[in-house]
Amino acid sequence: MLVKILLVVGLFGLARSVEQVRYDNYKVYNVRIDDLEQFKLLKSQDKSLKLSSWREARHLGESSDIMLPPEYQKTFESLLAKHNFTYNLKIDNVQTHIDAQKPKQRITSMEWTQFHTLEEIYAWLDVIEDRYPDIVTPFTIGNSYEGRPIRGVKISYKEGNPAVFIESNIHAREWITSATITYFIDELLVPRNPAVRDIAQNVDWYIIPVLNTDGFAYSHEVERLWRKSRLPSDPTGECIGTDLNRNFDYLWMLTGAESDPCSQIYAGPSAESDPEISQLTAYINNSIPEGTIKIYISLHSYGQYVLSPWGHTALEFPEHYPQMMHVAKGFSDALYRRYGTVFTYGSSATTLYEVSGSGKEWAYAVKNIKIPYTIELRDKGELGFVLPPEDIIPVAREVTEGFVGMIAAAREIDIL
């Protein structure tokens, strides 16, 4: 169901009339894929039943999270029953949880009891840049396709520190990522315990809170569950956007990506076709001294994973895989001690699914950054992309603890 509303686009445009997507009575099913025939059957029904994949099964015998609109649900359930799928209903009405993500009374100043818009995040970046000029160095890697600046901050207490680079919200709908990383930035600026003070003062942090600025704004203004960029990708105008985490120039389109512009994992017409990725890699290449970045993190949700290279094959592992696993264990163990949240770690191909053209693969293979990860935050699929605002602080606190453990583990093996 579409509802027309008038939005004011603040910093980046004039008021315009848009169609706001609602998900009334959309359901999310958890469906186990037992064999290749079941997998092919579901793929064949993608467009006819308007199936939207939230999370795909890693291997045969595991489950996918699939959302679909109410008018196709009976047909879908009949199909599952006829072909002996095992399934259960995870979310009965997606819109109910989206509504719960919206504050009853919006607070425009930055705090972590609600999900903030791009304008609010950027206004807060202005505040911390003014408040901590000796610690915070702002940077902009360039502009998005629609002209939004892609902003980041470097947090550095002294010269000569090794660095960690974090890009967040490369997938627009993963709001918990930018909420978490802005909380972490605040922790680095006003450390509340000695361990956080240590990693703030002795490590430089390059952080881009929202890499996919166009998609993120669109997910707030129009379509909450939008994933991709907003670069037109289909001459007919029917399909928009690239999966930016398939657009990096390393083994682009080898596996785990699609050439169909309508696909959620469309890798773009060419490697680095989207300005968000070409400008990100250019910034790292040209503005950060070679060898400075010791750890690269692409922050995502959901699933509770720490994923390393390789993504393109499960048959071999990178040279530094033992070090990657040591540091991933340090992150996961420290995070667990906060609330008992379990993170699984391993290579992408063996732990989740095969993928190429992603940020961490580029960071390792092209930039020789020995510890690169995709980190998937909470949850395990109970609410997925529509976590309530009440979860922001617990997630951010445990991730902060995880980063402390990550740095400690990296030091143990002389990465930092």
Side-chain angles (χ1 to χ4, degrees):
M1 175 182 175
L2 295 174
V3 179
K4 180 164 277 192
I5 61 173
L6 185 68
L7 293 173
V8 178
V9 189
L11 295 175
F12 307 114
L14 301 174
R16 67 180 186 271
S17 180
V18 299
E19 301 282 343
Q20 186 172 60
V21 176
R22 290 183 59 85
Y23 298 87
D24 295 292
N25 299 311
Y26 278 59
K27 297 182 188 299
V28 177
Y29 296 81
N30 182 258
V31 182
R32 196 174 76 199
I33 317 296
D34 286 326
D35 54 49
L36 195 56
E37 293 304 312
Q38 289 185 337
F39 173 78
K40 290 179 179 178
L41 178 64
L42 284 183
K43 292 295 283 185
S44 72
Q45 300 297 316
D46 267 357
K47 292 184 179 179
S48 61
L49 295 182
K50 297 193 183 310
L51 305 182
S52 176
S53 175
W54 279 27
R55 180 174 60 171
E56 292 196 356
R58 299 175 297 172
H59 310 286
L60 294 179
E62 298 188 3
S63 297
S64 293
D65 293 340
I66 301 169
M67 181 183 75
L68 68 158
E71 60 267 30
Y72 298 104
Q73 288 163 12
K74 284 188 178 179
T75 302
F76 183 63
E77 291 177 7
S78 297
L79 180 79
L80 296 179
K82 179 180 178 181
H83 294 276
N84 299 313
F85 283 89
T86 300
Y87 73 95
N88 61 76
L89 183 64
K90 297 200 90 168
I91 298 178
D92 185 58
N93 185 347
V94 172
Q95 188 63 42
T96 299
H97 296 286
I98 292 175
D99 291 342
Q101 290 189 310
K102 300 173 184 176
K104 293 182 174 63
Q105 184 173 0
R106 182 139 213 106
I107 302 169
T108 56
S109 59
M110 196 69 175
E111 45 69 72
W112 290 273
T113 62
Q114 66 182 32
F115 291 103
H116 286 283
T117 65
L118 185 67
E119 290 90 343
E120 290 164 355
I121 292 171
Y122 278 7
W124 177 72
L125 292 183
D126 292 336
V127 169
I128 64 171
E129 291 161 11
D130 290 341
R131 187 174 294 167
Y132 308 101
D134 296 332
I135 301 170
V136 176
T137 302
F139 65 87
T140 301
I141 65 169
N143 291 335
S144 66
Y145 167 74
E146 293 181 342
R148 294 176 175 85
I150 304 169
R151 295 175 58 181
V153 290
K154 176 188 177 185
I155 298 172
S156 179
Y157 283 75
K158 64 179 190 289
E159 292 184 4
N161 284 338
V164 175
F165 192 99
I166 302 175
E167 40 98 344
S168 170
N169 244 135
I170 194 171
H171 291 148
R173 62 191 177 185
E174 296 168 8
W175 287 5
I176 192 63
T177 61
S178 52
T180 295
I181 207 61
T182 51
Y183 179 97
F184 179 65
I185 291 171
D186 191 62
E187 284 286 303
L188 293 174
L189 297 175
V190 189
R192 293 168 173 82
N193 68 62
V196 176
R197 185 176 301 112
D198 171 49
I199 69 169
Q201 294 178 347
N202 296 301
V203 178
D204 287 353
W205 299 85
Y206 291 85
I207 299 174
I208 300 176
V210 181
L211 181 59
N212 183 2
T213 52
D214 292 347
F216 184 69
Y218 191 78
S219 73
H220 274 270
E221 297 168 3
V222 182
E223 187 170 344
R224 171 62 190 90
L225 295 174
W226 186 260
R227 169 185 169 94
K228 299 191 288 180
S229 70
R230 294 295 299 164
L231 179 72
S233 52
D234 178 6
T236 69
E238 178 185 354
C239 301
I240 299 289
T242 299
D243 181 343
L244 295 177
N245 204 39
R246 306 292 190 279
N247 194 235
F248 286 82
D249 192 10
Y250 180 70
L251 301 182
W252 177 78
M253 272 294 295
L254 178 66
T255 186
E258 294 189 9
S259 58
D260 176 5
C262 295
S263 168
Q264 291 278 40
I265 54 173
Y266 173 56
S270 61
E272 296 191 2
S273 58
D274 285 50
E276 293 83 357
I277 302 307
S278 62
Q279 292 172 143
L280 173 67
T281 58
Y283 177 79
I284 292 174
N285 285 332
N286 301 325
S287 299
I288 302 176
E290 195 75 24
T292 301
I293 301 173
K294 305 301 183 182
I295 299 174
Y296 180 102
I297 295 170
S298 183
L299 207 58
H300 290 252
S301 73
Y302 57 93
Q304 298 170 200
Y305 294 103
V306 184
L307 303 170
S308 79
W310 293 122
H312 67 277
T313 177
L315 300 179
E316 60 183 72
F317 296 90
E319 177 187 351
H320 298 96
Y321 188 70
Q323 293 95 318
M324 294 175 194
M325 292 302 97
H326 180 83
V327 177
K329 183 178 188 301
F331 174 90
S332 301
D333 288 353
L335 182 148
Y336 175 81
R337 287 192 288 270
R338 186 74 194 223
Y339 298 113
T341 307
V342 176
F343 272 60
T344 303
Y345 51 90
S347 75
S348 283
T350 59
T351 307
L352 193 57
Y353 46 64
E354 290 190 357
V355 61
S356 62
S358 72
K360 72 177 186 307
E361 310 289 313
W362 173 85
Y364 183 72
V366 177
K367 298 304 296 179
N368 300 312
I369 299 169
K370 293 178 183 177
I371 307 295
Y373 300 123
T374 295
I375 297 181
E376 300 274 0
L377 303 181
R378 290 196 204 177
D379 57 10
K380 296 294 283 183
E382 291 77 11
L383 292 175
F385 304 119
V386 290
L387 292 181
E390 293 78 14
D391 281 9
I392 295 172
I393 290 177
V395 171
R397 283 176 175 167
E398 69 186 8
V399 169
T400 298
E401 296 290 339
F403 286 150
V404 169
M406 178 185 74
I407 297 301
R411 287 169 172 164
E412 289 171 358
I413 54 173
D414 296 325
I415 293 295
L416 293 174

